[in-house]
Amino acid sequence: MQTKRSYIDGVQPEAELLKEGAEWLRAGELVAFPTETVYGLGANALNDLACAKIFEVKGRPQDNPLIVHVCNRAMANRLVEAWTPVAELCVQHFWPGPLTLVLPKTAIVSNVVTAGLPNVAIRMPSHPVALRLIEAAGLPIAAPSANLSGKPSPTSGSHVWRDMKGKIPLILDAGACQVGVESTVLDVSGGVPTILRPGGISKEQLESILGEIQVDNPSECQVPKAPGMKYRHYAPRGELILMIGSTERIVQRMGNEIHRGHSRLKKVGVLCTLESAPFLHNRLPDLLFVLGSKEHLEEVASNLFEGLRLCDERGMDVILAEGVKEGGLGTAIMNRLQKAAGQRIQYVL
Ligand code: TXA
Ligand code: MG
């Protein structure tokens, strides 16, 4: 398949490009589009065949449900059987934005989208291209992140191009995504609201409006409530080691690991904070990527997937990643890094 990559204005998207995207979506085809978190791979959420293509193109396990994106409340109402007071509060305070709500589904939402679950995950994105595209299509749009399964989520049009070229008819490219980590998935279907996946809206932000909430911790219960959380999202070709500790100790340990890697003829890449970078240059890693400042975790979040992808593209055998402090956006950043590291986490306190 020929893939067209159209550059679109992220603030005032061109009407004719939106129209083209909407036509493909209405015809049951897939369109990649930017959201404020990561790029999405969109399909008409009410068309099972179109949604099945998403799983095929991504190589996504069938038991991992899709988030449905809407552009207004009326559209959301068609998908949700019963709104809870907590869900209403979330809509008021966090939509449009990087918060996905899990609520009981209506009959029009098919089992292909929810992977057979009784609840549907819905979100109203804030990116103008996403909102206007859904509006132009006049349809709710099912969209996972627009990467191949097992790769980091795409945060730029180039990432999508590399993963989706030849597989879908259209990529709407509006450049880099602002947030850089995926939305927070929050179960508000009843009982205590529960975070199923940490993301762009922090637990602290949610608690300031909702009071105390819970976090689904898949290591404690056997089956995570968000099926996607059981997959090791990003399995880099290289071995990723996550290091947690003070700048001083991290620099020292990374220096040792770089030396060890080189003596085994391995290429060693480093993903670190702005604060550690000046001390790591002279340790001569094969790639040094600065994620951003410890004091500005929104920088780290927005650069994270770019850094991970770059390490693979440049053929790093070992990837040393510096952890950040948990809390706020730090929780989502650490969640993604921990998944990429698997069991390889070193505490260098
Ligand atoms: O920011 C985002 O959320 C991006 C953009 C494109 O909107 N989308 C995204 O989708 O990250 P995806 O498919 O990569 O991740 C969706 C997560 C998975 O962990 C999935 O298991 C969970 O949401 N999920 C989807 N529907 C669910 C449901 N009905 N109940 C529980 N979890 C659900
Ligand atoms: Mg994903």
Side-chain angles (χ1 to χ4, degrees):
M1 181 183 294
Q2 274 270 28
T3 302
K4 185 170 161 194
R5 178 178 180 182
S6 294
Y7 297 92
I8 188 164
D9 191 314
V11 180
Q12 288 179 304
E14 295 82 351
E16 61 280 19
L17 294 176
L18 293 168
K19 186 164 165 261
E20 190 184 352
E23 276 164 8
W24 282 118
L25 289 168
R26 278 199 296 265
E29 288 298 334
L30 306 186
V31 175
F33 63 95
T35 81
E36 70 279 21
T37 57
V38 302
Y39 275 74
L41 180 63
N44 175 357
L46 305 178
N47 177 336
D48 279 2
L49 281 177
C51 291
K53 284 184 192 166
I54 290 179
F55 290 89
E56 194 187 308
V57 160
K58 275 185 63 103
R60 183 182 177 98
Q62 300 284 341
D63 68 348
N64 193 4
L66 305 172
I67 295 173
V68 181
H69 297 66
V70 298
C71 62
N72 56 45
R73 182 59 192 267
M75 199 181 257
N77 287 346
R78 292 183 61 208
L79 309 171
V80 173
E81 187 60 50
W83 291 85
T84 57
V86 175
E88 295 287 356
L89 270 176
C90 289
V91 169
Q92 256 176 48
H93 286 89
F94 301 106
W95 273 13
L99 179 66
T100 295
L101 300 175
V102 174
L103 284 159
K105 76 176 192 75
T106 56
I108 66 163
V109 183
S110 94
N111 285 331
V112 177
V113 169
T114 63
L117 295 172
N119 293 333
V120 62
I122 53 173
R123 137 166 148 85
M124 191 189 294
S126 64
H127 196 296
V129 173
L131 277 177
R132 300 280 312 280
L133 178 68
I134 301 165
E135 210 173 80
L139 293 165
I141 301 297
S145 47
N147 52 293
L148 296 174
S149 264
K151 281 221 188 185
S153 293
T155 48
S156 76
S158 303
H159 297 163
V160 181
W161 177 248
R162 269 173 232 140
D163 281 12
M164 293 298 153
K165 188 172 74 166
K167 297 190 161 80
I168 61 173
L170 181 66
I171 298 170
L172 295 176
D173 183 346
C177 299
Q178 192 208 335
V179 179
V181 291
E182 302 90 338
S183 64
T184 302
V185 179
L186 184 70
D187 186 337
V188 284
S189 61
V192 183
T194 305
I195 294 181
L196 307 186
R197 174 179 73 179
I201 298 282
S202 68
K203 179 167 187 261
E204 292 81 354
Q205 280 174 291
L206 291 169
E207 286 190 327
S208 74
I209 304 295
L210 308 177
E212 209 172 313
I213 62 174
Q214 284 178 357
V215 178
D216 186 44
N217 189 342
S219 63
E220 283 169 18
C221 67
Q222 288 212 314
V223 185
K225 288 189 189 136
M229 295 301 279
K230 72 171 177 270
Y231 298 106
R232 186 175 158 215
H233 264 155
Y234 172 50
R237 209 187 51 76
E239 183 187 28
L240 188 138
I241 304 172
L242 174 58
M243 296 188 178
I244 299 164
S246 66
T247 301
E248 214 185 354
R249 300 279 290 123
I250 292 242
V251 165
Q252 192 183 17
R253 180 68 70 91
M254 282 194 178
N256 294 344
E257 289 286 347
I258 293 167
H259 184 73
R260 211 166 73 89
H262 284 168
S263 65
R264 293 184 298 147
L265 303 178
K266 305 280 186 203
K267 283 177 110 177
V268 185
V270 164
L271 305 177
C272 66
T273 61
L274 186 67
E275 289 78 5
S276 308
F279 307 103
L280 285 162
H281 279 290
N282 63 358
R283 305 291 183 131
L284 304 177
D286 298 280
L287 171 72
L288 187 133
F289 183 91
V290 179
L291 292 167
S293 169
K294 280 182 183 175
E295 307 300 322
H296 301 284
L297 289 184
E298 66 284 354
E299 286 176 13
V300 176
S302 74
N303 291 322
L304 180 63
F305 291 137
E306 166 72 20
L308 289 169
R309 279 180 172 255
L310 205 62
C311 284
D312 258 2
E313 274 162 35
R314 301 271 179 88
M316 297 301 122
D317 303 300
V318 179
I319 302 160
L320 308 174
E322 178 177 354
V324 297
K325 227 167 139 183
E326 297 265 355
L329 254 186
T331 305
I333 294 166
M334 287 301 279
N335 171 271
R336 306 308 186 267
L337 280 173
Q338 274 155 357
K339 277 175 180 287
Q343 301 306 313
R344 294 179 299 271
I345 301 177
Q346 297 186 2
Y347 295 90
V348 287
L349 304 168

